[in-house]
Amino acid sequence: MSLLSVTRSILYGGKNNLQKIEVINLLLQQNTSVLTGGTGGGATTRNMSRMKKTRPFWQPKSTRTLYPEELTPSNEAFGSEVISDQHTSSSTTSPLKCEPWPRGVWSEASMRCGVIARKIGVYPMWDNNGRRLLTTLLEVPDNEVVKYIPPEKLLEHTHPKKNNNTHTKEMAALVVGADPIDPRLVTKEYYGVFADSGLLPKKKLTKFLITPDAKLPPGTPLYASHYRPGQYVDVLGTTIDRGFQGVMKRWLFKGMPATHGVTKSHRRPGNIGSGGEKARVLPGQKMPGHMGNKKRILRGLKIWRVNTKYNVMWVQGPAIPGATGSYVYVYDSWYHHCRHTPDNPPPFPTFFQDEEEGVEEEMYHPDLHVFSKPSIAFNEK
Amino acid sequence: MLSAVPRRIFHTFFRKPPAQRVTAKVPPYIRDQLDSNTDNEQPLPHDFRTVYPEFLPDPRPEWRNRLRERLERNDMLTRRSVVAIPEFYIGSIMAVTVGDRNASDKTNRFVGICISRGGTGLRAWFNLRNVIDHQGLEIMYEMYSPLIRNIEVLRLEKRLDEELLYLRDALPEYSTFPLDMEPELLPEGAPVPINDIKVKLKPRPWHERWERKNLQGVQDLGLPQRFYNKAKLHEKPWEKYDLMMEYRATIPEEEQADIFHEIAPHYQQLESSRRQSKRRLAQTSRY
C-alpha cells in the first residue's frame, strides 16, 4: 500500500513518462526480504495481511525449520572448519570466479548500483560556520555483488503491462548481499544462489536496478566509498513498528480536554464524517490502526563524510526510517537537482577500493568542520 | 537433552561462542580480543569516570552501537587535542570563550558557575550561570562545538548537590561572579575541594518544588509543615534498592574499563590539560 501511494504521488507530480515508469518499476521491484529466524511473522502489518507473499525469482526461501540434529561438539566444530576452509582458504587469490568484465563508462543516463547499509546511530557534526548538523551514520557491512541479471532475463519476469517502456526494457539488475551468515542456517536453494559467486550466504539480499553499463561481476565488494561526500542519496528503510495506535499517536490528533465535563473521550478522534446527503465516512479518513513497519524512502540526503576504514558514511539528518541497527537501502538520489553531473561524475560502476593506492581513511565535505582543525574564527570586517 | 541442541547462532560461527545460548535481545558484552592489546594496559585512575563522564556512551540498549561509539570517541579525542577541555564539576566556576559572529571582536567570553552538565559523546554539554546587571544569565555550551576557543576553570570545586538549578531561586549573590575573576590555583595532587556552602533561597513561588528534591546545599526553606508532609508522600525511598534501575542506567564496569583503556594512548595529553587546570593555587579570594 505504501509503495503504491508513493508511486501514485510521484505519478501525479512527475515530469515525463519515462521517469514515471522507471520509478514505478524501481519501487515495485525493490522487493526485499528479511531473514527472520524461527517463527518468522513477528512483524506483520494489518494492511493486506492476508496477501500471500511471493518471493522474486532471484530469491528462494532462505530459512528452514531447525531441529536438534544431535551433533557432538566436535562434529559441530568440524563443520565450522570445513566451511571456513571452503570460504577463506582462497583469500590469497581473487574472490572473483570469472574473468573481470569490461567496465562501463558513466553517462547521464546511467544508473548505478546501490548498497545495503545498517543504521548505527545519530550524532552531531558542525559545519564551517559553527552550525550544528545531526547526521546519521550508515555502516556498509560486507556488501558483495551476488548476481547480475541481464535485461532480457529481467524482462521475462516482469509483468508486460508494467514494463512496456523501451527505456525500462533495457534495465538490468544486480543482486547484492550484505553480512555473511552461517551456511548451515539456510536452505539448500538459498545457498545455491551464492554457488556461482563462491560467496558465503548473505543475511540480507536485495536487488538494485541498473543500466547495463553499470554491471559488476559477482563477488565484487561494495564499500562506503561507492558514495562521495557531497553526493545525494535516497535511503529506503522500514519504519519502527509501533503496533496498533490511536489517532493521537498515529495522526497527531489533539484529543479532547482532560476536564470540563469530558468523560471517556480524552484521546478519541471525535466526529469522523459529515451528515447530510453524504451520510458516510469518506475514504482516507484518519483512524486508529497499525502504525509503523512500513517502507519509507527519504530522498535527497547529502553525504557529509565517509570513513573508508570502517565503511561508514555520515548522511544528513536524524530521520532515516528504522531503529538503530536496522538495514536500509541506499540509492543515488532520484531528484533532478541531486543527480550526478558530467563535471562531477560518480565512481563508476563502483569505487574499486582494493585496486586504488592511498585511499584516504576519512573523506569530508568541504563545508564540514574537521575536528582536527582549529576552532572556527570569524574574520573582522 | 538440551545440551545436544546445536547452538547455531550467527555469533558462534565468526566469534568465540558465548557460554550459553543468547536469549536476550541485546547480546551480552564480549570483549573484543583483536582491539584490546593486553600488554600495554596501564592502571587507570579511579576517578576517570567522574573526570571524563562523556566518554561513556548512553546506556540505553536500543541506541547502542559499538562501532559508532568508537568513531565518536575518536572524534572527541581529536577535538580535545585542538582545544583542551579541562576537568570540571557541577559547582566549578568557569570561563568560556566562543567565536561569535555578532560580537565586536568576534569572540565572546562568559564567566559563570556550572549548574548542570549532561549528554554523552559529542553531544556533551554544560550550563553556566551568572548574574550580570541584576539579570540572571544561563548559557549552554556544547563541549565539542568548534566555536569554542577556550575553556578555563577559574575555581575548581564541587558542591553538595548534583545539580545547582536551585540557584535560579536563590538570592542573586550566590550566582554572581565578576567577569574579570582571576583563576585560583590548587596545589598539585590535591583533591578537588567540596564547597559546603548553604544557599539561601528566595521565598516562594519557585521554579520547582525544591522541598521535594532532598537538597543538601540550601538553608532552611522556611515552609509550613504541610509542604514537608506532601514531600514525604512523593519520596521514593525504594529506588536506591532497585538493582534493575541501576543496571539500566549504567555501563558495566568491565566495559567502562575497556573504553578507558581504548583512550589510554591519549591519556598523557588528557592528563596534561587536566593538570594545567589543577595547578592553580588556592588564593581564597572569596567575596
Side-chain angles (χ1 to χ4, degrees), chain A residues 96 98-103 217:
Chain A
L96 300 184
C98 53
E99 290 294 309
W101 295 353
R103 287 173 192 171

Side-chain angles (χ1 to χ4, degrees), chain A residues 147-167:
Chain A
K147 196 178 182 183
Y148 170 65
I149 305 171
E152 54 277 10
K153 176 89 166 123
L154 195 62
L155 211 53
E156 287 172 19
H157 294 276
T158 44
H159 197 278
K161 280 190 180 171
K162 286 177 188 165
N163 195 355
N164 53 5
N165 186 290
T166 48
H167 178 77

